[in-house]
Every structure is written in C-alpha cells, then in structure tokens.
Amino acid sequence: MNRMTPNNFNWLLHSLLFLHTQRVIKAQKDKEKRSNNSNDDDDDDDDDETDTEGINIDGDE
Amino acid sequence: MELQDGLPIDDVTKHAFLSLGEKGVVRSAENHFCSECTHDYKNTADIITGDDPAGLVGVDENRNVPVLTGDDADLAVQDAAQARLDAENAMDIDQTPSPSEATPVKLVVMDGVVMGPTHCAYGDCTQDLAKLKGGVLCVHHEILYGNLCRMHDCNRPKVALTHTCAQHQHRWYKHVVRYGRQSLLGIRRMVRRSEEERLPWLPTINRQVQQHDAEVAPENRKDNYFVAPRFYCVETICAPCGVVIAWTKFAKAESPTNILHFLATVYPTPELRPSYICIDKACMVLRTAISNHSWEIWKQTSWFIVDSYHYINHRTSDYLCRKWCNPAPLNGSAPNLVIVENDANGNPHYKCAFNTQVGLYPPPQYQCSSSIFNRHVNS
C-alpha cells in the first residue's frame, strides 16, 4: 500500500470487486437453478404418480 | 480498450480505469436482482402489534423497549401511544397497493473501510504523487512549489538536504526525529487506529484528530507538507447478497456530505434508487439531507435506516434516529423490512428481511449469514 499510486489502487480494487461481483452473481444463479431443479423434480415426481395412476386406470379399463 | 504504443506502465492502469472503471460503478451488478436483495412489495405487515415503534426485531421481543432520554422523550411516548392506537385500528386500513407501490423492494448497504493510497498533499488536490519515495506533491504542484519550504504559506526556498527553509529547520528536524522509523510495517496503521478509536487503555492524545464522521475542520489541517496524506477510506455500496454495486474513495472523512454526494452520483435518476439505504450513520446522513434540502429528492424513493447495533445504542438518546431509522420495527410498521418465519414448533415470529451486514471486509460469522461468510472466505 505504501508504494501504490491512486491509479494502481483504483484499478486493483475495481478489478477485485468486479471479479467478486461476477462470482457472487454466478453463485446466486446456480443457487436459483438448483432451487428450480429441485422444484421441477418434485413436480416431475407428482406427474409420474399421476401418469402411473392414469396407466393403471387405463389398464384396469 | 485501445492504448497508445509505448505508454509508460504507470499510465496503463490510469487509462484502464478511465476506460473501464465507470467511476467506481460495477456495471456487472447493474440490474442485478435475486431473492436475497429484492423482495416483492408488501403493503401491510402480516402481524401488526401494539409494540413501541422503536422495538427491534430479534432484540425486543420479550422485554420493554428502552425509553428515550432527553428533550424529545415526550414525543417518543406520544409515538408509542399512537402506534398502539394504529394497531387497534389496523383492520380498517385500505390494504390495496397502488401501482407505483407494487414495484419490488430493494435494499443497499453502505459502509467504509479505513484504507487508501497516498495522494498530493497540497490543498484539496488528490492527484498521484510525482515521486513515490519521499514525494509529497503531484507533478503540477511539484513544478510550482517543489523547490519551496514545505511549511504552509512559506515561500522561502529550501535549505539543501532538507525540506524547509532556514527559519523552519527546527520543524523539519523534529519531524525527522519523530517519524524517522515510520516505514516499519504496520506502525502507521496502529497509530492511526489508536488515534481514531480512542481506546481507553491507550494514552490520551491531546492534539486534535480528524473524527471519522466529521467534516474536515480548518484547524485539523496540518501546517506542513512533510508527509503525503492518504485517502481516508474506501466506501462501498453493496446489495444484501454480497454484490458490490459501486465504490469510491473519500479523501478526508466519511462525512454525511460525502455519502450523499456519492449516492447522488451512483443513483442519478429516481428509477435507479433503492427503497432502503442502510448506513451505520444513517441518522447523521438524514439530518444533513434535511438541512441541505437533498431530502426533498431522496424522500420520494428511499428511506435511510441504520444497522441494528447502531440502533440499539442510539435510539435512547436521539429522537430522529429512534423514529425514522429503525432497521426492523417490531410492531409491523415497516412490512418490507421484516418477514414472518415459523420456528421449529410452528410459531410465527418476525425476522429481518434483508442481510445488512455486508461490506468490503465482512466481519466474523456473527455479523453475516454463513453462506456469505463462506463465500468471502473462499474468494
């Protein structure tokens, strides 16, 4: 820090904060994707049960 | 970005920041929203209680709210009585939101860290130093005053091998004796911290020191240019999820005026402004905004709130802080700052809607969520 000029400091800090922000945004998107996937899986499970029931019903008929 | 051929290495970062730095605004964070930093607008609270409006979620659930002491104590009592009355009449309030109120609610957190590089010592100049080692002036001021005595308002030439004129030689030698070893790593920072924090176990300092929050008073300025000053702090605006929205350097102090100016630079138009701005000295900023009339602009879109730690301590002595800056009112008067959560037994309780403990260097785990703490540790 003692040998750092304001311009070098500006560029260093801005780069670090930019990369950090990119990383946080990516983590948030991944988290959202995982959340959506788990919801979809739950929905799929529900759908499977419905389909199975439908097949069974058809089979019974 | 294109740079000229043969550009000195020191100028590369300068041009890079000018071209890509956006004056400290992080463009990748523009228009960012996620479940942690943006919530749907809520017109009324899920639970409206008759608690004192100065009650704080997570602190005052099972105890009486500390009273305000001082001149405005009666006003605080009246507010508490009015809040009880409002709670009784809460069912009569029209709960239909207007279209403008239906926009999402955003919160940003402002905080500063005391750090920064050196800059020119002359007046209010904050340019790069002409010489990194031993230099105290920028190129422009070095040309104008480099050969003159480094005492303020002294236009006599320097004596060889020193930085003062013959009349001020004793000041220069006194400085050399006192600060000759300041290059030891960490010593300057230790001295600086002890001056600002005024820890009770350290010796009392009699000389005037620039206060963290205060505007720079003329009497606080040094009477010489012996040492290059540092930028006082780096101020950041962060979203509750940890995304950094913008940053800047404050040369002299983290004053409310500087904070308001920074906010106006980052949020020039009303549609960009967040609903809530959490600052550890929001009550000071609010007071300054009211006095300089900038509150007339900010009050249309935003609300200044303090952090919980500040509120717990300051609500007993400052009416403005107690009434207007509560970060999570327990009585449901700010439905967008609190959310209802069920505990293990299924009992509903209020919880802060936003994480307000984010900044450049996150404190230990007790001040931020584990996910954000881990993220910072791993980064």
Side-chain angles (χ1 to χ4, degrees), chain B residues 147-317:
Chain B
N147 62 334
L148 301 180
C149 175
R150 285 191 182 174
M151 294 299 292
H152 285 193
D153 304 322
C154 180
N155 293 322
R156 285 182 285 270
K158 288 178 185 175
V159 173
L161 302 177
T162 69
H163 287 296
T164 55
C165 62
Q167 190 182 337
H168 292 121
Q169 282 291 295
H170 65 288
R171 292 294 305 273
W172 173 249
Y173 286 118
K174 192 177 168 185
H175 169 80
V176 169
V177 169
R178 187 171 180 186
Y179 295 105
R181 288 184 164 194
Q182 71 177 12
S183 60
L184 286 171
L185 287 176
I187 292 292
R188 290 189 66 183
R189 189 174 177 84
M190 282 168 60
V191 171
R192 208 174 176 198
R193 281 179 65 88
S194 65
E195 285 177 348
E196 284 147 10
E197 293 180 358
R198 294 177 186 275
L199 300 172
W201 55 89
L202 292 174
T204 309
I205 298 164
N206 294 322
R207 71 184 175 84
Q208 191 70 31
V209 175
Q210 169 64 34
Q211 294 297 304
H212 183 65
D213 305 330
E215 303 285 352
V216 182
E219 63 268 22
N220 285 4
R221 292 177 189 271
K222 290 179 179 175
D223 62 350
N224 60 62
Y225 305 122
F226 292 163
V227 177
R230 288 180 178 277
F231 282 92
Y232 181 70
C233 70
V234 172
E235 193 80 6
T236 55
I237 300 178
C238 297
C241 57
V243 163
V244 181
I245 296 163
W247 70 275
T248 191
K249 302 191 299 295
F250 288 159
K252 306 288 182 191
E254 193 192 34
S255 65
T257 315
N258 284 340
I259 289 173
L260 286 168
H261 181 69
F262 180 39
L263 281 170
T265 308
V266 177
Y267 300 110
T269 54
E271 64 272 12
L272 297 173
R273 290 178 196 141
S275 311
Y276 293 98
I277 300 167
C278 181
I279 317 171
D280 55 4
K281 59 188 70 157
C283 52
M284 287 176 66
V285 175
L286 176 61
R287 192 169 273 119
T288 304
I290 292 168
S291 62
N292 69 15
H293 306 295
S294 59
W295 180 238
E296 296 300 319
I297 299 166
W298 281 103
K299 74 177 182 185
Q300 295 166 12
T301 54
S302 307
W303 194 275
F304 292 117
I305 57 171
V306 295
D307 66 292
S308 300
Y309 179 72
H310 174 114
Y311 193 73
I312 292 166
N313 293 305
H314 205 203
R315 64 180 168 180
T316 57
S317 57

Side-chain angles (χ1 to χ4, degrees), chain B residues 330-349:
Chain B
L330 188 58
N331 68 347
S333 58
N336 294 297
L337 289 176
V338 289
I339 52 175
V340 175
E341 197 179 56
N342 291 325
D343 63 14
N345 299 322
N347 299 319
H349 65 274

Side-chain angles (χ1 to χ4, degrees), chain B residues 107-140:
Chain B
L107 179 141
V108 296
V109 182
M110 278 190 81
D111 200 8
V113 178
V114 178
M115 63 183 285
T118 51
H119 61 83
C120 176
Y122 190 83
D124 292 328
C125 179
T126 54
Q127 294 297 311
D128 282 12
L129 299 176
K131 289 182 288 183
L132 268 181
K133 192 171 182 181
V136 296
L137 299 173
C138 63
V139 175
H140 176 68

Side-chain angles (χ1 to χ4, degrees), chain B residues 48-59:
Chain B
I48 297 175
T49 67
D51 289 308
D52 190 317
L56 190 63
V57 168
V59 177

